């Protein structure tokens, strides 16, 4: 077997892995290998090209309150990183509702009866503020009332996660929708805006000229210029350990060759559960039932090239209609005009959230393409005969699942992970955390600083999450 040795090996060339590589090279480490199973860098934030059009893996926006990450983005792309005014709506009962929610818009489109029910259930929720909030349903219902929960949260959320809302942990709602308050929504709807808008509701974001992946392609070019090696279309098949040390990994390259990579330290944004399943020998101190108890939601994108301009004005639309499986539809023309070579065409993506054991995942690509076109036509968004071509992209382990009481298994797996002295989990997959791009990049940067033993370290990478403010929340370990 061919063997290679590096000071550092990074598994995953997405926001987290490239963040780690950037910080390591800044710290003087150049003997680095990045391994990624994908054909292009960027991970779930990459941009693929089909038929002369550019498609992300679902819509991405660049927004952060962390000035270091913001500076990294702008310094990386400069004039190719531009501000976009956000237009997103909810499709419900053949109507489009503004999102962020506008009070007058909701009351007008719901009609008198449903509006009265929404206001009544919201008022009733104000009297139930002391109940224990265990599930996503509990959390949203208390905050918004049952009618608004059923209208604007339930169907879409269950499409995304594949389990009923009363089985989804309230922790996910508290993290993902923190700061979202009906009174603030109404106040914002009646005023010109608020400086304290919740993170989920920012109405302007930055975006690369040529798609989200342009950011990570540029980052990768930068570290390669500093001497970093990159292997794409390469999978990890084994983490070889000696007690609490990872000695090496075995990989299968794009050419089908098996190689062994030794390194002083490993950074990994691969699914945390895969790390333990690929350990050789297995971890005798871990009950693998806890690993099996953690699972990810998978993702299918149908990219559609349409022979028609100006299909709809939104960057993306949330589909709450229960009669279709599609959950979200993006229009990349509205992110950047440069996403489509032919200005008479539109690049759309239809997103399906799925588990690999479900029948949808097992459908042939041709059947999935046909279903997507039928559903978008059913929703009145496209005319099927204007579809020029379409492509199916499948991504496994896209979203860590926050089901009720997942924390017990998660804490046990985290504790065992921390015993490996030269292994740093990073990113959404590696940390089993529903992180955005900025948090993922930050996790790689701070993990690299831990390795470099820079002032202020060690940081507790597990504590970086979607609410981070961020260096303040990337807390140091107590000595």
């Amino acid at each position: 077997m061919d063997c290679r040795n590096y000071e550092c090996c990074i598994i995953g060339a997405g926001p987290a892995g490239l963040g780690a590589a950037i910080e390591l090279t800044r710290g003087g480490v150049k003997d680095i290998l990045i391994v990624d199973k994908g054909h292009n860098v960027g991970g779930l934030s990459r941009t693929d090209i089909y038929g002369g059009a550019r498609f992300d893996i679902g819509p991405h926006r660049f927004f952060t309150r962390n000035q270091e990450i913001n500076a990294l983005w702008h310094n990386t792309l400069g004039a190719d990183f531009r501000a976009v005014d956000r237009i997103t709506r909810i499709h419900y009962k053949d109507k489009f509702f503004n999102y962020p929610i506008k009070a007058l818009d909701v009351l007008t489109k719901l009609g008198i009866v449903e509006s009265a029910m929404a206001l009544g259930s919201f008022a009733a929720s104000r009297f139930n503020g002391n109940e224990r909030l265990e599930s996503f349903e509990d959390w949203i219902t208390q905050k918004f009332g049952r009618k608004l929960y059923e209208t604007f949260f339930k169907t879409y959320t269950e499409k995304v996660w594949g389990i009923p809302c009363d089985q989804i942990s309230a922790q996910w709602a508290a993290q993902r929708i923190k700061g979202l308050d009906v009174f603030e929504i109404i106040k914002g709807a009646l005023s010109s805006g608020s400086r304290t808008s919740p993170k989920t509701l920012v109405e302007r974001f930055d975006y690369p000229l040529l798609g989200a992946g342009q950011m990570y392609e540029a980052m990768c070019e930068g570290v390669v210029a500093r001497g970093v090696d990159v292997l794409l279309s390469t999978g990890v098949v084994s983490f070889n350990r000696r007690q609490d040390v990872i000695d090496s990994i075995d990989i299968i390259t794009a050419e089908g060759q098996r190689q062994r990579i030794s390194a002083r330290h490993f950074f990994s944004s691969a699914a945390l559960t895969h790390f333990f399943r690929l350990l050789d020998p297995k971890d005798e101190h871990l009950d693998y039932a806890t690993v099996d108890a953690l699972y990810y939601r998978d993702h299918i994108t149908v990219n559609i090239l349409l022979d028609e301009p100006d299909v709809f004005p939104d960057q993306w639309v949330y589909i709450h209609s229960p009669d279709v499986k599609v959950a979200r539809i993006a229009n990349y023309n509205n992110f950047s005009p440069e996403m489509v070579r032919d200005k008479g065409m539109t690049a759309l993506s239809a997103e399906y959230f799925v588990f690999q054991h479900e029948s949808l995942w097992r459908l042939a690509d041709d059947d999935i393409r046909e279903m997507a076109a039928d559903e978008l036509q059913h929703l009145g968004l496209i005319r099927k005969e204007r579809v020029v071509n379409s492509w199916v992209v499948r991504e496994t382990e896209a979203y860590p699942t926050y089901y009720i009481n997942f924390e017990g298994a998660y804490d046990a797996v985290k504790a065992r992970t921390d015993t490996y002295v030269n292994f740093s989990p990073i990113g959404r997959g590696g940390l089993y955390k529903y992180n955005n791009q900025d948090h993922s990049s930050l996790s790689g940067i701070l993990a690299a600083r831990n390795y470099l033993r820079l002032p202020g370290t060690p940081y507790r990478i597990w504590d970086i999450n979607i609410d981070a403010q961020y260096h303040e929340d990337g807390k140091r370990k107590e000595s």
Side-chain angles (χ1 to χ4, degrees), residues 110-132:
L110 278 183
I112 295 174
V113 174
E114 287 198 85
S115 295
M117 291 172 62
L119 291 173
S121 67
F122 170 66
S125 73
R126 300 295 92 187
F127 296 99
N128 298 318
N130 295 322
E131 293 182 1
R132 182 182 177 188

Side-chain angles (χ1 to χ4, degrees), residues 90 238 317:
I90 293 169
S238 177
V317 178

Side-chain angles (χ1 to χ4, degrees), residues 123-383:
S125 73
R126 300 295 92 187
F127 296 99
N128 298 318
N130 295 322
E131 293 182 1
R132 182 182 177 188
L133 304 180
E134 185 174 84
S135 71
F136 177 90
E137 181 175 306
D138 296 337
W139 197 94
I140 297 294
T141 300
Q142 184 187 91
K143 202 168 187 67
F144 296 96
R146 178 157 292 277
K147 178 59 180 176
L148 288 175
Y149 154 71
E150 291 176 347
T151 301
F152 294 116
F153 294 95
K154 184 178 189 297
T155 303
Y156 177 78
T157 301
E158 291 182 351
K159 283 185 182 183
V160 171
W161 296 107
I163 55 177
C165 286
D166 62 4
Q167 295 178 25
I168 299 172
S169 172
Q171 178 181 327
W172 182 82
Q175 287 183 346
R176 195 64 181 172
I177 318 176
K178 184 177 181 180
L180 184 58
D181 186 272
V182 168
F183 293 118
E184 290 300 316
I185 291 170
I186 294 173
K187 179 181 176 182
L190 299 175
S191 65
S192 59
S194 170
R195 293 183 180 180
T196 59
S197 297
K199 180 172 182 182
T200 51
L201 300 185
V202 294
E203 298 198 41
R204 196 167 222 228
F205 59 89
D206 291 318
Y207 189 77
L209 192 68
L210 299 176
Q214 183 184 9
M215 178 68 71
Y216 303 105
E217 291 162 14
M219 287 181 179
C220 187
E221 289 171 4
V223 296
V224 167
R226 298 186 190 104
V228 174
D229 291 339
V230 179
L231 284 177
L232 298 178
S233 301
T234 298
V236 177
V237 294
S238 177
F239 288 88
N240 307 310
R241 74 179 183 96
R242 175 176 43 85
Q243 296 180 336
D244 61 354
V245 174
I246 305 299
D247 280 328
S248 63
I249 61 172
D250 287 354
I251 60 174
I252 301 292
T253 68
E255 296 75 29
Q257 297 177 336
R258 188 175 183 117
Q259 296 182 0
R260 178 157 292 178
I261 307 298
S262 298
R264 180 178 176 185
H265 198 92
F266 292 88
F267 302 82
S268 176
S269 63
L272 181 60
T273 53
H274 285 0
F275 168 67
F276 282 100
R277 290 173 184 142
L278 295 177
L279 271 180
D280 186 16
K282 297 294 185 186
D283 189 326
E284 67 275 13
H285 299 292
L286 178 66
D287 179 359
Y288 272 73
T290 61
V291 177
D292 294 338
L294 301 177
Y295 58 92
Y296 296 76
R297 188 73 160 152
D298 306 299
H299 184 258
I300 295 174
T301 308
V302 182
N303 295 319
I304 299 171
L305 188 60
L306 202 68
D307 184 16
E308 192 170 351
D310 304 322
V311 178
F312 52 80
D314 312 70
Q315 282 88 34
W316 65 90
V317 178
Y318 299 102
I319 307 300
H320 287 226
S321 304
D323 51 332
V324 293
K325 293 181 179 180
V326 64
R328 188 168 56 182
I329 302 167
N331 185 334
Y332 293 107
N333 294 49
N334 299 330
F335 282 84
S336 171
E338 283 76 7
M339 294 290 280
V340 183
R341 183 176 58 198
D342 186 335
K343 301 310 175 186
M345 300 281 189
T346 295
L348 303 178
S349 71
E351 292 181 85
Y352 295 87
F353 300 85
V354 62
F355 293 120
Q356 292 179 55
H357 66 265
E358 294 177 328
S359 58
L360 176 56
W361 183 269
R362 297 195 297 269
L363 279 179
D365 285 0
D366 286 347
D367 293 331
I368 294 176
R369 285 194 288 264
E370 187 76 11
M371 179 183 68
D374 286 341
E375 290 195 340
L376 268 61
Q377 178 169 271
H378 173 76
L379 293 167
L381 296 175
I382 71 167
R383 290 178 291 169

Side-chain angles (χ1 to χ4, degrees), residues 7-51:
E7 180 173 349
C8 291
C9 177
I10 299 171
I11 299 152
L18 290 168
I22 288 169
E23 190 64 20
L24 289 169
T25 57
R26 284 174 179 167
V29 178
K30 307 293 176 66
D31 187 22
I32 302 170
L33 173 67
I34 302 176
V35 174
D36 196 285
K37 66 180 181 180
H39 60 276
N40 195 9
V41 300
L44 291 174
S45 298
R46 74 178 185 274
T47 300
D48 292 331
I49 301 175
Y50 302 99

Side-chain angles (χ1 to χ4, degrees), residues 94-109:
D94 297 323
K95 295 185 177 72
F96 287 96
F97 294 82
N98 291 324
Y99 191 82
I101 297 168
K102 307 297 183 189
L104 184 60
D105 179 66
V106 170
L107 295 176
T108 300
K109 293 174 182 174

